Each structure stands twice: as structure tokens, then as C-alpha cells.
Amino acid sequence: MPKRPYDLPPMSALVAFEAAARHVGFKPAARELNVTPAAISHQVKALEADLRCVLFRRHHRGVELTETGAYLLVALQRGFEAMGDAVDQLRQRAHMASVTVRVTTAVSALWLTPKLAQFWKRHGDISVSQIVTDTDHDPSDCDLSIRYGNLKRETGACTVLFHDRIMALGSPEFARAHPVRTPEDLARVPLIHSDTVAAWTRWADWFHALGYDGPVKQSHSVNSYMIALQAARDDMGAVLGWVALTRRHLEAGDLVPLLPDEVDTKEDFYVKLHPHASERAKLVHDWLLRSS
């Protein structure tokens, strides 16, 4: 017969003995393991035969551990406790495993992170990690992706989070220094252009939607929407403000509309649930949809 791993007796016999020794009886051990007392007795006898020693003294009122049995019980309980601790840590690790969300810098800072702050208050046992990138490449290991684009071109489980509008914004000081009444007036003031990888609306598209196709001043150009917003807050120029994304700045008053005109975006912000997403990821997904 091949040697068993770790040279141990059958695990079923060890489990039966540990239960019987802990309860000091075959009947309560049988109830715990959902077997018959005869099955427990058979397993214990097989273990005694394997070890060539007596583990229980049997008498008409029940059983009691021998010194050898007590020694084995302590050893088994230490082993089972170590295994229990390892299993518990693995279960906790699985329960706390991160949900990964792929998102752009701007959407992360302006929309998602404040949302997650509220999510963690309700679901503190779920860790959410953000993969912040301004490229079009989706990491293969993310659970969710938040994107801006045409949903009809997508495949898989995609749902619109929100549709936004765009206004021309500037700091209060910039608005006082550059009063504008028409799109033509705005086209002549310093404008901050955000040249990001994402196909977001540009100044020329925004002016065209308002019926103006003349020359547009370009004073500052950055490759990050967050930097563009900061430049506008620092009085450097006007910036295209996505109303839903910049709501906190509008409510705080550090950015104000330069014109009342709003332009609807042609595309949407949406969330994609990747096929391998866990149940925790689905919970985050559904929560984002409800709170958007």
C-alpha cells in the first residue's frame, strides 16, 4: 500500500476521534458529524489499530480518554486550529478582495471617488481599487470600466451612467475681467484647450453647436482635463465645463458660467461590467447605477 501524505491515518478517523474525545462520548460525536454512534466506534477502532494503542477506556457508562488519547487530542486540536486560522484568513481575504474599476483621471477625481466615499460608508467590507488611466486600453484584469463614448459601438454588458451638458466656465475673477455676452465675445478671450486621448468635445465643436464657426483663440493647451480645470480656477482662461463632472466647483463658486448656453453631448458616460466580474463587482456596478 502506498504511503499516505504526511504519514497520517485517514482523516475521517482523526475527525471522528477528535469529536468523540472532545465530547467524551460516541453519541454526541455522532450527532455533531451526522453519522451513527456505530460509525464513530468503527472509526476509532480503526485508528487504534493503525496506531497500535488504546485511545479510549470503554465501560458500561461510556468512554474515557486514556493518557495516549489525551495526548493525541491536544495534538489534533492544535493542528485543526492552525488549519482553521488559515481557512479563516483565506475567507476574509476573498471577502475583502478588491473590485477593480478602470476610469479616466477626470472621472475618477470629479465623479467616481466621491461616489465611492459614500459606497464605503455602506459597504466597508468591500475594497474598491481604481485603475486610473487616460488611454483607451482596458486592463484585462479590471472588473468594471467607466467610459465616455457611443454605447452602440460597445459589446458586452454596458449601461449608461449619465448624460452630460457642457458650459463655458471660468473663475469669478476671470468672468469680471472678461465680460462676454455672445459666443463671438467668448471666442476672443483666453481659452484653455484640453488635448486628451478621450474623444471629448473640443472648443471648436462647442462653438459650432452654438452656430459660431469663426476663429477661436487658443491661449493655453494641456493634456489633462484636471489641469485644465485648475488653470481655469487660477484665472488663466475659460474652460469647457462638463456640468455633472464640475458640479462641486460650480456649487463652491470657484468656477462660474461665462454664458448661459449649454451644449448637449453626443455620447454618454457608461459603465461596462466585464465577463469575469465577481459578485462584489456586480454590487458596486448596481450601486453606481442607482446613485448616478
Side-chain angles (χ1 to χ4, degrees):
M1 179 181 295
K3 190 175 182 180
R4 287 187 290 262
Y6 307 107
D7 197 23
L8 291 173
M11 186 58 66
S12 58
L14 294 175
V15 170
F17 165 76
E18 189 277 334
R22 179 163 32 87
H23 289 291
V24 195
F26 290 175
K27 288 184 179 180
R31 286 194 295 269
E32 178 181 309
L33 299 179
N34 198 29
V35 295
T36 65
I40 296 292
S41 177
H42 175 76
Q43 292 283 3
V44 171
K45 287 180 179 179
L47 182 60
E48 289 176 323
D50 189 314
L51 299 178
R52 299 179 183 177
C53 62
V54 177
L55 301 174
F56 286 101
R57 292 191 185 90
R58 296 158 176 83
H59 46 76
H60 67 281
R61 288 185 297 180
V63 296
E64 61 178 332
L65 278 171
T66 64
E67 183 177 346
T68 303
Y71 173 79
L72 180 60
L73 173 62
V74 172
L76 284 177
Q77 288 181 328
R78 286 175 179 170
F80 288 155
E81 286 172 0
M83 287 188 286
D85 289 343
V87 169
D88 186 56
Q89 289 180 21
L90 291 175
R91 285 172 175 162
Q92 289 184 25
R93 186 181 303 173
H95 190 60
M96 290 291 292
S98 292
V99 174
T100 54
V101 184
R102 183 266 190 195
V103 65
T104 63
T105 305
V107 175
S108 171
L110 299 172
W111 189 84
L112 179 59
T113 300
K115 293 283 185 184
L116 291 180
Q118 296 302 314
F119 176 82
W120 284 326
K121 291 179 181 178
R122 298 184 177 215
H123 304 280
D125 59 330
I126 299 178
S127 174
V128 182
S129 298
Q130 298 184 52
I131 302 174
V132 180
T133 174
D134 291 325
T135 70
D136 290 329
H137 173 66
D138 253 350
S140 59
D141 59 347
C142 65
D143 299 299
L144 307 172
S145 296
I146 296 177
R147 303 173 178 174
Y148 172 74
N150 188 340
L151 201 59
K152 295 179 181 178
R153 298 174 186 169
E154 267 287 6
T155 59
C158 300
T159 310
V160 173
L161 285 170
F162 60 92
H163 187 81
D164 213 345
R165 306 179 313 281
I166 306 174
M167 301 183 73
L169 305 179
S171 68
E173 184 174 335
F174 182 86
R176 288 190 293 269
H178 302 85
V180 297
R181 294 183 177 83
T182 66
E184 290 83 355
D185 293 337
L186 182 65
R188 291 190 287 269
V189 307
L191 302 178
I192 301 169
H193 295 253
S194 178
D195 299 323
T196 62
V197 175
W200 288 17
T201 300
R202 308 295 198 261
W203 274 113
D205 302 321
W206 190 84
F207 278 116
H208 177 76
L210 295 181
Y212 174 76
D213 291 302
V216 175
K217 188 171 184 178
Q218 180 164 341
S219 298
H220 309 285
S221 181
V222 297
N223 65 353
S224 165
Y225 188 63
M226 295 302 298
I227 296 175
L229 289 180
Q230 186 59 52
R233 294 168 64 195
D234 291 338
D235 315 319
M236 294 178 65
V239 70
L240 287 174
W242 298 67
V243 176
L245 292 182
T246 59
R247 180 172 289 116
R248 286 188 299 160
H249 293 301
L250 290 168
E251 291 174 350
D254 51 8
L255 288 175
V256 297
L258 301 176
L259 288 174
D261 305 89
E262 296 183 358
V263 172
D264 274 336
T265 57
K266 296 180 181 179
E267 299 180 328
D268 299 294
F269 289 92
Y270 62 92
V271 59
K272 180 173 183 176
L273 182 67
H274 292 269
H276 60 269
S278 65
E279 289 301 317
R280 293 178 300 277
K282 293 175 184 176
L283 178 64
V284 176
H285 170 272
D286 295 345
W287 191 89
L288 289 175
L289 291 178
R290 290 195 302 271
S291 63
S292 61

